[in-house]
Amino acid sequence: MTDTTHTPGADGGDALVTAFNAVGADYIFCSSGSEWAPVWESLARRHRDGLPCPQYLDLTHETVAVGMATGYGLIERRPQGVLLHAAPGLLQGSMAVHGALLAGVPMVVSSSESTTYGDGPGQDPGGQWYRNLSVVGGPHQIAQPFTKWSNEAASVHTLPTMVTRAAELAWRAPAGPAYLNVPLEILLEDWDGREAKPIVRPGSTHSSPEEVDPVAQLIREAKNPVIVTETAGREAGGFEALVAFAEAWHIPVVEPDSAVCGNFPRTHPLHAGSDIGPWMDEADLILLVNCRAPFYPPSRRPSQATVVVIDEVPQRPHIVYQVLFADRYLEGNVANTLRQLAKRAKDLDEAAVAERRAAQEARFAAEQTAITQAETKAEGAEGIDPVLVAATLRKLLDGANGIVVDETITHSRVVKRHVQTADPDSYFYVQGGLGQGIAVALGVKLAARERPVVLTIGDGAFTYNPVIQSYDASKAYELPLLIVVFNNRVYKSMNLNHRRFYPEGAAADTGEWLGTDLHRLPRLAAFAEPFGMYTETVDAPEALAPALERALKAVAEGTTAVVDVLVTR
């Protein structure tokens, strides 16, 4: 969407909206603040006059605004606009902005300050800026630690190009949020109508044949190679390119617990689970494909493997401490690099390939047997085992082209292992802190309205979310979700750490486990009832599948459904 209309006499609000047009933003996700009246006026004029502009979403919490932009960006991979309020709104949304940084989602986040405090000419910004809203150094200084780039638009005449610069920086690898402080006085200032040039997709960098050929030779000579990936599926075409690469060379793929999205079909015979441990001493070649933190603790070094890092930006600037033990780097567009390597899968040692294929087939068969056994055990258990919930979801979503957004902690391994997503953009794990899951799922649904979107979430994580504001967004913008709560009535991860650190401590002796009990919470599904959403609370195994079927039917008919499942662990 590009606005080519010059409008002399307009103000900074028009300049900002025009800039978001130039960025190509489909949406402006806004958690309202008093500084945005110029933007609202510009949008109202454009709606009245039939002029192009991004679609505006009026959202009632900062985490919802940023989280929805994150979810939308996970699917669309293009920068959108996010408007928050002053420094307090930026602080309120900061966890979600940091989550977008970790998830690699481009966006332009803006909020304001006052630069005159009522002592300058022109319209009065209001006393609240002088008394309560200002911070030393400006909000762009606050945003600096959790964004890719943070700056101030100091003139209405440079505002449009500052927005496009922020978007271009946000879009380039490693993608992430950029922040722009737009003072209220700039928004109210007259603008001469000079527009920013529309931005285009970033160009790509490629590893040269001279760099790729030696790595192909390393793979050709390896007896026991393995691929480890966390975010290959986040790149455009990365999922498909990784499948083609692994199949061409017959190399197993490990998705560690730190994987943030679906990177490889979990049903594929080359999928080697989530544990890199067995490979640390056995592998002679480890290919880290978009894998920011493969080894834990970081000093845990593979005993004999050569390590090749395939990543557009292997050294992540936002990671404080990062250890890769790389022997070689292939830097540049990851999907392109994988395709180059796949083409070089020739003159293979068929005996070595047959040996590792047989070994992987045995591993995969053992894993499938273990999954079946765990599900059989869960079916016969008293109460609802979390495995039964995940397995039931898998069966109900089979063939539905669904997307799973996961904000569980204790049950995250269970969800990945038993839901078994197998398609591109079908699984995302919420990054950066609990409390964003519903908003991220709403953003995913906004980008993929034709696909069912399921949020799996723990009861502890659920209570961190701005639930009421998220339901409001779901209702207002017709974004139905299936929300499945794994409710074990406890902050289990906190409790496990207490027991791990103090196995024979006072709490173990007395049973006084602080900071963990959630039994006092009311029925979690009930919060959706005032919005007319479908709700069920399930506490019996035989009731689980029918409840989830009814909930999915309600979602297909256009309403969010919340199923609170009382699990046994």
Side-chain angles (χ1 to χ4, degrees), residues 331-367:
E331 299 183 41
N333 181 272
V334 169
N336 179 274
T337 301
L338 295 175
R339 286 192 288 265
Q340 285 195 60
L341 286 169
K343 290 177 182 177
R344 288 163 169 77
K346 301 171 183 177
D347 302 322
L348 307 186
D349 183 337
E350 294 300 333
V353 168
E355 185 175 343
R356 68 173 176 257
R357 182 190 291 123
Q360 174 55 26
E361 287 174 354
R363 276 189 296 266
F364 185 75
E367 171 66 2

Side-chain angles (χ1 to χ4, degrees), residues 9-180:
D11 61 18
D14 294 292
L16 191 62
V17 173
T18 296
F20 280 125
N21 270 338
V23 166
D26 301 317
Y27 291 93
I28 295 175
F29 300 84
C30 181
S31 178
S32 297
S34 55
E35 67 263 51
W36 299 122
V39 170
W40 298 331
E41 181 63 18
S42 175
L43 290 169
R45 274 199 303 271
R46 288 165 182 268
H47 294 158
R48 180 195 65 193
D49 298 339
L51 297 174
C53 57
Q55 187 171 339
Y56 175 86
L57 300 184
D58 226 340
L59 304 165
T60 53
H61 195 281
E62 292 83 356
T63 298
V64 177
V66 181
M68 286 186 65
T70 297
Y72 189 83
L74 286 170
I75 299 292
E76 295 295 337
R77 299 177 174 89
R78 292 182 288 104
Q80 305 298 312
V82 179
L83 305 182
L84 306 178
H85 176 46
L90 175 62
L91 288 168
Q92 181 72 41
S94 61
M95 180 187 67
V97 178
H98 181 242
L101 181 69
L102 297 181
V105 173
M107 63 181 68
V108 178
V109 181
S110 289
S111 70
S112 281
E113 64 177 339
S114 175
T115 53
T116 66
Y117 307 107
D119 277 345
Q123 299 192 56
D124 178 12
Q128 73 274 19
W129 296 95
Y130 177 54
R131 300 186 186 99
N132 298 320
L133 296 179
S134 295
V135 296
V136 175
H140 48 292
Q141 187 149 329
I142 291 175
Q144 188 172 5
F146 51 84
T147 56
K148 271 192 71 177
W149 180 84
S150 178
N151 214 324
E152 176 188 15
S155 166
V156 71
H157 305 298
T158 60
L159 173 58
T161 305
M162 287 288 279
V163 172
T164 58
R165 171 162 168 72
E168 288 181 326
L169 285 165
W171 207 354
R172 279 156 175 79
Y179 173 80
L180 190 62

Side-chain angles (χ1 to χ4, degrees), residues 435-468:
Q436 309 167 64
I438 306 178
V440 172
L442 288 170
V444 168
K445 182 66 176 180
L446 184 66
R449 287 182 178 270
E450 74 287 356
R451 299 175 65 181
V453 177
V454 179
L455 173 67
T456 52
I457 187 169
D459 52 328
F462 182 89
T463 59
Y464 285 136
N465 274 257
V467 174
I468 301 303

